[in-house]
Amino acid sequence: MEELPGALGTSPSLVLRLGQAIFASASLFFMCLEIEFYSYTAFCYLVTIMGLMVPWSLTLAVVDGYSVFVRHLPPQARVTAIIVAGDWVLSFLALAASCSTASVADILLKVGVPYCSAKLCSRYRLSAAMAFLSWFLSLVSALFNLWLLPSL
């Protein structure tokens, strides 16, 4: 069987997973610099989803790192199906969280200073941008693993 770049257990998959974890952590960092995000449900939703994305991505990065550097693990259909399902679910949740956060931050910025200062809203927008990047890498991982699934 030909190895698909980006599939579980390859070095491109390791890079994708580390990128997901880095961008999700950056999104959490920019969102949590101020404690005022609790006032808005969309911001709490982003923190929850990115909080799920970080351990998911780091766990799969450890599996990929083990497979790349220590011993190549043979792909298994059940494990790959679970990973594909998890990637798809987290990908859609991350897209919803980043879209809702970006729209609420944009609305708050247009309303003015009483609701959100320009500095604070720019942090929220930066957090949403990092969440979009994490979503994109998650979608790429899901597509590569979905492509691999029928061949197992």
Side-chain angles (χ1 to χ4, degrees):
M1 181 179 77
E2 185 178 318
E3 187 174 277
L4 181 68
L8 185 67
T10 61
S11 55
S13 177
L14 176 63
V15 171
L16 285 171
R17 298 296 179 183
L18 289 176
Q20 288 172 23
I22 289 169
F23 285 128
S25 298
S27 177
L28 280 172
F29 175 73
F30 288 120
M31 183 60 72
C32 295
L33 278 177
E34 297 287 332
I35 305 297
E36 298 176 21
F37 75 89
Y38 286 115
S39 303
Y40 303 99
T41 306
F43 298 159
C44 293
Y45 181 61
L46 179 81
V47 169
T48 303
I49 297 305
M50 291 299 117
L52 291 172
M53 181 79 77
V54 171
W56 174 263
S57 300
L58 287 178
T59 301
L60 292 177
V62 167
V63 171
D64 287 335
Y66 179 80
S67 183
V68 168
F69 296 118
V70 178
R71 184 175 65 101
H72 185 70
L73 301 172
Q76 298 175 355
R78 285 186 185 170
V79 173
T80 305
I82 291 170
I83 291 170
V84 166
D87 276 344
W88 277 103
V89 167
L90 271 177
S91 178
F92 284 121
L93 291 174
L95 178 63
S98 57
C99 287
S100 64
T101 298
S103 63
V104 169
D106 194 41
I107 289 170
L108 288 175
L109 190 62
K110 288 181 182 177
V111 168
V113 176
Y115 293 103
C116 185
S117 66
K119 182 180 177 183
L120 188 59
C121 277
S122 66
R123 283 186 192 157
Y124 292 155
R125 291 169 87 182
L126 189 58
S127 177
M130 294 296 125
F132 270 117
L133 292 172
S134 180
W135 162 75
F136 179 73
L137 293 177
S138 176
L139 181 67
V140 170
S141 294
L143 288 174
F144 278 129
N145 285 319
L146 184 65
W147 190 318
L148 175 73
L149 193 59
S151 66
L152 296 179

